[in-house]
């Protein structure tokens, strides 16, 4: 999003934008809130995050940054490592500020493993060359006795939860080894302090008219994920999905993890679209972790006003050769107006 060669901080638009009733107004905040009016502004979120959390003096964050550099994490349902990219962007922003203060750079958190069954994602992640294990289908962590029954369960989804959840809770559903595409061998899923996951959401998405809920083949991978978390016991799990997945996750992990959650809409961070997601931050109860900043406080500190249109956002992602854009745009606007009037 920003040139990796640039040593300049990208300046987001701080035009005065009054917000008499911001959606998260119960915490004290400046009366004038930064606004986002371009794609460049939107992608300047690492700068805004560091400014909001650390202020102008990056040395104040030394204790946090020490923990940051020693952090290990893994990604499940990783795609092309969007979570990892975010962690590296925060590191790069912190180092730009440390450079300006003549401070030594810090290292980013270390990824130990990724899991995603997309051939494209696996090929893309191989380009990182960071030696992290790359596993494919998370269902391959099921023990052989369960794996041979998966085709039957996929064709009888109403039996998935009754069959697999008790075994997952017993700790006997999965093993910690599977085929690794990085090392072309069977590797161990190395435990990390943080696990980041976005389980498959199609069964509960509002875009799915049938919305079968748990009685869907995708529940198998969610159960596999939770069983692997029970086996490896990361200190913290950060989970993102559509709204409504919390109950399923906590049924499988609630006895050993506490949960802090919040619904996040990207519009509240300055994007001209709405995308509601449920974020769960799970903490291992045996670690007695204290939450220094609940999700809701984080949302308040990172709030930015959106001042650019969804049309300009969509144009950014279309080829200049797309001759149907004007017609599609006109249709979308008319459909929206018709919907509002009705």
């Amino acid at each position: 999003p920003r040139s990796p060669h640039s040593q300049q901080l990208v300046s987001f638009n701080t035009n005065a934008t009054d917000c008499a009733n911001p959606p998260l107004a119960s915490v004290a905040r400046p009366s004038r809130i930064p606004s986002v009016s371009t794609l460049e502004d939107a992608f300047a979120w690492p700068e805004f995050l560091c400014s909001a959390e650390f202020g102008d003096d990056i040395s104040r964050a030394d204790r946090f940054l020490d923990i940051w550099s020693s952090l290990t994490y893994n990604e499940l349902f990783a795609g092309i490592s969007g979570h990892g990219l975010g962690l590296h962007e925060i590191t790069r922003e912190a180092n730009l500020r440390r450079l300006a203060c003549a401070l030594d750079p810090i290292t980013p958190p270390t990824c130990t493993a990724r899991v995603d069954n997309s051939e494209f994602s696996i090929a893309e992640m191989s380009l990182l060359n960071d030696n992290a294990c790359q596993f494919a289908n998370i269902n391959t962590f099921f023990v052989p006795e369960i794996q041979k029954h998966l085709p039957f369960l996929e064709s009888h989804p109403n039996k998935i939860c009754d069959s697999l959840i008790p075994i997952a809770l017993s700790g006997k559903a999965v093993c910690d080894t599977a085929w690794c595409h990085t090392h072309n061998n069977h590797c161990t899923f190395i435990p990390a302090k943080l696990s980041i996951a976005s389980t498959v959401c199609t069964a509960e998405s509002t875009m799915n008219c049938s919305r079968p809920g748990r009685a869907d083949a995708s529940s198998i991978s969610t159960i596999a994920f939770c069983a692997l978390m029970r086996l490896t016991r990361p200190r913290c799990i950060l989970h993102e999905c559509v709204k409504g997945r919390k109950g399923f996750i906590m049924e499988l992990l609630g006895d050993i993890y506490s949960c802090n959650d919040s619904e996040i809409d990207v519009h509240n961070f300055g994007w001209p679209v709405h995308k509601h997601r449920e974020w769960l931050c799970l903490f291992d109860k045996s670690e007695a972790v204290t939450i220094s900043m609940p999700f809701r406080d984080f949302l308040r500190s990172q709030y930015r006003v959106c001042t650019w249109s969804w049309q300009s956002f969509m144009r950014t992602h279309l080829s200049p050769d797309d001759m149907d854009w004007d017609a599609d745009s006109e249709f979308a606007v008319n459909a929206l107006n018709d919907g509002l009037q009705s």
Side-chain angles (χ1 to χ4, degrees), residues 19-26 29 33 267-268 299-300 303-305:
C19 187
N21 296 294
L24 303 165
S26 60
R29 53 153 58 269
I33 303 172
H267 186 70
N268 289 336
L299 297 181
R300 295 179 183 115
Y303 178 75
R304 293 188 289 173
V305 176

Side-chain angles (χ1 to χ4, degrees), residues 12-14 17 38 41 53 57 61 69 82 84 93 97 110 129 140 150 167 169 185 195 199 218-219 255 277 320 324:
F12 54 80
N13 184 352
T14 54
T17 304
T38 66
D41 295 346
E53 302 305 325
D57 184 5
S69 294
E93 178 63 36
R97 296 176 179 231
T110 301
N129 197 29
T140 59
L150 292 184
I167 307 175
L169 292 175
N185 203 347
S195 288
T199 53
S218 65
S219 292
D255 59 325
R277 286 296 181 269
D324 295 328

Side-chain angles (χ1 to χ4, degrees), residues 201-206 208 211-214 241-245 248:
C201 66
T202 53
E204 293 168 331
S205 171
T206 55
N208 184 348
R211 299 187 72 182
R214 301 184 187 187
C241 199
V242 296
K243 188 176 181 180
R245 182 52 66 94
F248 194 7

